[in-house]
Structure formats: structure tokens, C-alpha cells
Amino acid sequence: MFDMREFGIEIKEEKEKFIYRRNGTEKVIFGKKIQFDLFPVAPSGISSYLYLKLRTPIMIQPENKIKFRITAPYDIEVRALKKGKWISIERIVTQNEKYALYGPIESGVLCRYFESDIGEREDTAILDLGIENQTKEWQEINKIVFPINFDLSYDKKVHYPQFDLTLTSTGLVISKKDTLKGIKEIEKLINVQKKYTMLWGY
Amino acid sequence: MIDIMDLLGSIENKEIFGHSLSSWILSLVILIIGIVLAKFFSHVTWKWTRNRLDRHGQDIFKKIVYYFVVIVFVMESLNNLGIDFSGVLVAGGVVGIVLGFASQTVVSNLISGIFMYFDKPLKIGDHVVIESVNGVVMDIDILSTKIRTWDGNLVRIPNDKLFNSIIENKVSNEVRRIELSVGIAYKEDIDKAIETIRNVLNGHTYVLVEPSPVIFVNDLGDSSVNITIKAWSPNDYAYQTKISLLKLIKEAFDREGIEIPFPQRDIWIRKRD
């Protein structure tokens, strides 16, 4: 799915070693018959949360369920593989890398920031959301924040795991479903935290 | 050949400061065993607290266990020499007062160290500013705290002094605000300059989108219109962000043809008629 040349990657094989070059980065990988591949990964960077700012806010009526799809960012990881074991050579940021704080200064969480559109875009991943408004009021959603503790899957497009959002009186609760079936999984999900409550507004 | 029994007999009979040599040797052995056991127990405590406490707490508990065991064995060792501690405690009232005054600072440091453990104003690895000392916390001991300043010096601050000082912890939150000031010439368009700065901030990875940066004219100076920039950055990247922003703003101003003036003074020379 991903072409090394597209990212300016050059791998040269020499005697019992490979030389990896990209944009001034150079690494030497010792070994024989090593396979190099590119994988889409969740865009963590220096934070472990993702902040998706919806360019178009979503309104949802009381006690109603909706499903929709939004764009989400991904990074590309260059990996060296040998007999099922791998090491990350480099992480390539495909979209503009920005950060934002979600919550107050003293207790908020630092998040990777991305402005999402409703629908799909060529250069971004797909995130399918199911939202249930359990409150008795209309609700407006401007942003979605959740911990990055999952891997992405891909076929022709890069997919996030499906997320279910529940609007309650305490906040927006985000829970993650399993990876979509039938799509090549990079790895098993790392289910450290399955639920996250957005306490500081949505 | 030396007869062992004679040797033991001579040790038994030999007196030093009113006690037999064997009593002195036994006391010494008790003391050595005490030190070995103290080291062992403090090590066990350190291992036991490894996943339960932070490094500061580990150090405190390790030292408390060490000194407790040592004191118990020192008392036992002295007891072996016939020194009765109940008598010492009663008779030592005056001595105790004298020692109390003498060790006032030590005790004060110790108690401050314990209070600081629970208060947690700083921890090892934090970037702190304590009065004129600016650096990274290297060690928090039971009596003192050691700071490595940015120019590589090691500063030891007694805990009681630290406890009463204003401590500015630069890394207690995930983000920190950086503040910059740039001056533009009076002839320049302020809105264009602000827009140029905003573009630089938007393009910088480590300038946070939220809380959003603030850019405003802060002062109409002698030679320039001074613009202040307040932007938030992840704590670990704040310093490098500040440095790079100044360079990027200067380059952006150069590209846009916005002049950063230097102080100018017009001198009028009066001609005598």
C-alpha cells in the first residue's frame, strides 16, 4: 500500500548490513535477509492522546443514536523485520504535527491535534463513530479526545478501530470496539484502556 | 608454639578503661553485626519500596531502617560494656539539652525533609528555580537537596532552607507558557506583522493550538512598536521552542520585508547666528 520512494526512503544493501537513508537520517542495520516495510500507526508523537477537532460541529437530538465517519491522522512507521520480530527504524509524520492541551493547565492532558472532516479524504485514515445521546437535551460535539492505545488496520484505506461515543450527564464517554473484521491486522489490539470520559467539554 | 588457652586467658585478664579486652571485642563484634544487618535490612526495605514509593520516599525509608538498626546495636554494644542506658537517659538530661541545641539544625533539616516528602513540591529530575538557583533536582536526601545548575555546578540546599523557600517548579504541569517580544518599525503594518507571527506559530510543531497563542501590541517604544507573543508549549520542548521561534520570526519578517528597527536618535545641531 505504501511506496518507500514516495517517502524518499533509500535502503542500500552492503556486505552483511543495510544502510537506511531518508531526509538526512542515516541508520545502519546489521544482518542478512532483512525485510523492510511501511506500516500505518496511530499518531502519538510526544503524547498519548489524540484530539480530533471537528471542522463542522455535530448536533445530535435527545435520546438518539447516529453513525458517521470522520477523517483522522496516521503516521507511517518504517520497520525492519526478521522472522516475525521487528524494530522501528523511523516514524514518518504524514500530516501536520501539532499538539493541544485538553483540560485545565494543571491537570489537562497533552494531545496530538488534528482537524477532522466528516466523511473521507484521500490522505487520511477513516474513523467510524457511533454516537448515542442519552441525555434529554440536544448536544453539540466539537471535539473528540481519546487515548492512543490501539493499532491501525488497513486495506486500501487506513482504518481506526470503531469507537462508540455515549453522551451522558457526566461527559462524553468513548469506548473502543475491536478492530474491523476482514481487514489485515498489524498486531493484536493493545487494550490498556477501553473507555475514556471527556470531562472537560466536547 | 603459643598456647591458645594462655592467649584467651591473657585476653580475659587484660583490662582497658575498666573493662576486659574480651568485653571490648564482643562489643565490637555486636557493632559490626549491627552495621551488616542495618545494611541488609535497608537494602531489603529499598527493594520492598521500589514499586510502592518514588525514589525520594525509598531513600527516606531506607535511611530510617538503617539508622534504627544501627542505634539498637550501638545500645546493645554499650550495654555489653556495662553502660546502663536508663541511667544515661536520666543523667543525660543536661547533656540532652546541650545536644538538642547543637543538633537543632540537623533535626530541623530532617523534619523538613520528611514534610517535603509528603508535600512533594519537587522530585528528582524536575527543573526548578529556588531563589537564585536554577537547575535540575539531582537528589533529595533526608537532610539536603542537591540541584545541578544549568552551568554544571552542584548546589546543596539544606532541607529546612528549602522548606521555607519559594520553589518554582517548571515541570509540574505538562505545558508551559513562553513569552517573546519583538519590535517592528513605526512605518510597518501592525496587522501584517501579527499575521506573519501567527503563521510562524501555526507552522511550529510545539506551539500548542490550545491554549491558543496570544499576540498583541504591548508597548509603543522609543524606536519600535513592541509586540508581545504568549504561546504555550509542551514542557519538555518549551526552551527549544522559544529559541527557534525568535529565529523563525526574524526570518519571516525578512521575507515579508517587515523591519525590526534598532534604537535611533536624531541629533539637532543648533547653528549660532
Side-chain angles (χ1 to χ4, degrees):
Chain A
M1 183 181 171
F2 303 103
D3 187 357
M4 295 227 181
R5 283 168 298 182
E6 195 186 321
F7 296 100
I9 296 168
E10 187 194 328
I11 297 169
K12 201 173 156 191
E13 188 174 0
E14 290 182 5
K15 275 185 185 174
E16 296 186 354
K17 68 179 179 190
F18 293 84
I19 296 165
Y20 172 90
R21 285 195 192 96
R22 193 187 79 89
N23 277 359
T25 303
E26 187 170 306
K27 290 187 179 180
V28 180
I29 303 112
F30 280 92
K32 288 176 184 174
K33 292 179 184 170
I34 296 171
Q35 186 192 336
F36 293 89
D37 219 337
L38 303 178
F39 293 90
V41 288
S44 53
I46 58 164
S47 69
S48 50
Y49 285 81
L50 185 60
Y51 183 136
L52 299 177
K53 174 85 178 174
L54 301 178
R55 278 192 226 265
T56 319
I58 291 163
M59 317 284 180
I60 178 165
Q61 66 186 68
E63 295 170 336
N64 190 31
K65 275 184 186 179
I66 54 164
K67 279 188 175 182
F68 64 101
R69 176 171 278 191
I70 60 169
T71 59
Y74 65 88
D75 288 347
I76 294 287
E77 194 167 71
V78 187
R79 293 179 183 173
L81 302 111
K82 181 85 188 252
K83 289 179 184 172
K85 302 225 170 186
W86 56 268
I87 188 166
S88 175
I89 307 287
E90 194 186 6
R91 186 178 273 248
I92 303 165
V93 176
T94 57
Q95 283 90 15
N96 186 23
E97 189 182 1
K98 287 292 279 181
Y99 295 90
L101 183 77
Y102 174 64
I105 302 293
E106 65 283 358
S107 55
V109 287
L110 185 68
C111 311
R112 177 84 176 263
Y113 178 88
F114 183 76
E115 290 185 358
S116 288
D117 294 305
I118 294 169
E120 292 181 25
R121 233 169 54 198
E122 193 60 40
D123 58 338
T124 57
I126 291 167
L127 171 55
D128 287 317
L129 298 164
I131 303 185
E132 184 183 0
N133 181 7
Q134 289 182 348
T135 69
K136 294 189 187 315
E137 305 290 334
W138 276 85
Q139 298 290 345
E140 181 179 321
I141 299 172
N142 291 283
K143 58 195 163 215
I144 300 161
V145 178
F146 50 87
I148 303 169
N149 54 8
F150 51 85
D151 277 315
L152 304 179
S153 47
Y154 66 97
D155 46 9
K156 286 177 184 170
K157 294 284 288 181
V158 178
H159 295 262
Y160 273 59
Q162 193 181 325
F163 285 90
D164 281 341
L165 280 62
T166 313
L167 283 153
T168 64
S169 53
T170 50
L172 179 59
V173 182
I174 299 167
S175 46
K176 185 174 74 227
K177 281 190 172 178
D178 287 343
T179 312
L180 296 173
K181 295 274 185 296
I183 291 171
K184 185 182 173 186
E185 283 185 39
I186 300 166
E187 277 175 49
K188 292 286 171 204
L189 283 170
I190 312 159
N191 283 321
V192 181
Q193 187 185 352
K194 275 197 166 181
K195 277 190 179 179
Y196 178 70
T197 306
M198 289 173 65
L199 294 171
W200 299 298
Y202 43 84
Chain B
M1 194 175 151
I2 301 164
D3 190 340
I4 293 173
M5 292 308 288
D6 286 349
L7 183 68
L8 288 174
S10 66
I11 288 171
E12 188 65 37
N13 295 330
K14 197 164 187 178
E15 280 201 358
I16 301 169
F17 297 120
H19 297 284
S20 67
L21 187 59
S22 62
S23 298
W24 281 106
I25 290 170
L26 185 61
S27 290
L28 188 67
V29 169
I30 291 170
L31 209 58
I32 290 166
I33 291 171
I35 290 167
V36 170
L37 282 178
K39 285 201 171 184
F40 172 75
F41 284 121
S42 66
H43 182 69
V44 169
T45 308
W46 185 80
K47 281 185 99 172
W48 185 75
T49 53
R50 193 163 48 186
N51 297 325
R52 291 173 172 85
L53 296 170
D54 58 21
R55 203 180 137 187
H56 183 197
Q58 264 185 292
D59 282 350
I60 286 180
F61 275 92
K62 184 182 156 184
K63 279 167 188 165
I64 286 172
V65 169
Y66 181 82
Y67 288 116
F68 177 76
V69 176
V70 166
I71 286 167
V72 166
F73 276 83
V74 165
M75 286 168 80
E76 184 53 39
S77 170
L78 292 173
N79 199 30
N80 181 59
L81 291 172
I83 299 168
D84 184 6
F85 257 87
S86 58
V88 168
L89 289 174
V90 175
V94 178
V95 179
I97 290 168
V98 173
L99 280 175
F101 275 110
S103 61
Q104 195 182 12
T105 319
V106 176
V107 173
S108 168
N109 279 325
L110 184 82
I111 291 169
S112 300
I114 292 166
F115 279 149
M116 283 218 307
Y117 171 69
F118 293 107
D119 191 28
K120 289 188 172 55
L122 41 79
K123 59 180 188 300
I124 292 167
D126 281 0
H127 171 198
V128 290
V129 180
I130 300 156
E131 292 172 4
S132 60
V133 180
N134 187 344
V136 179
V137 180
M138 298 305 292
D139 195 16
I140 307 169
D141 215 333
I142 202 154
L143 297 176
S144 66
T145 297
K146 292 173 188 76
I147 313 282
R148 196 203 66 219
T149 60
W150 293 114
D151 52 358
N153 295 322
L154 196 69
V155 179
R156 179 189 173 276
I157 304 173
N159 281 342
D160 67 333
K161 190 172 190 313
L162 188 70
F163 194 67
N164 292 311
S165 300
I166 294 170
I167 301 169
E168 194 182 334
N169 192 326
K170 297 275 191 183
V171 292
S172 56
N173 297 321
E174 281 215 78
V175 296
R176 195 195 314 175
R177 197 179 71 182
I178 50 180
E179 200 171 317
L180 303 167
S181 185
V182 286
I184 58 166
Y186 270 90
K187 67 179 171 62
E188 300 297 349
D189 181 349
I190 293 171
D191 289 334
K192 187 184 171 189
I194 288 177
E195 193 55 33
T196 306
I197 294 168
R198 195 174 298 284
N199 288 338
V200 170
L201 300 182
N202 288 344
H204 198 290
T205 300
Y206 299 122
V207 172
L208 299 189
V209 181
E210 289 177 22
S212 55
V214 183
I215 310 162
F216 59 95
V217 174
N218 187 33
D219 184 33
L220 299 175
D222 291 342
S223 314
S224 61
V225 176
N226 296 326
I227 298 173
T228 294
I229 303 143
K230 292 181 178 180
W232 291 84
S233 177
N235 224 321
D236 294 344
Y237 296 83
Y239 183 63
Q240 72 179 59
T241 303
K242 188 173 182 175
I243 292 170
S244 63
L245 277 179
L246 280 172
K247 182 172 174 279
L248 291 169
I249 289 169
K250 167 73 171 67
E251 286 168 357
F253 276 6
D254 288 348
R255 273 196 308 277
E256 296 294 326
I258 298 167
E259 184 190 339
I260 300 174
F262 50 86
Q264 295 171 41
R265 184 149 297 179
D266 292 338
I267 299 170
W268 292 80
I269 300 168
R270 188 187 288 171
K271 276 188 182 173
R272 207 173 267 174
D273 294 330

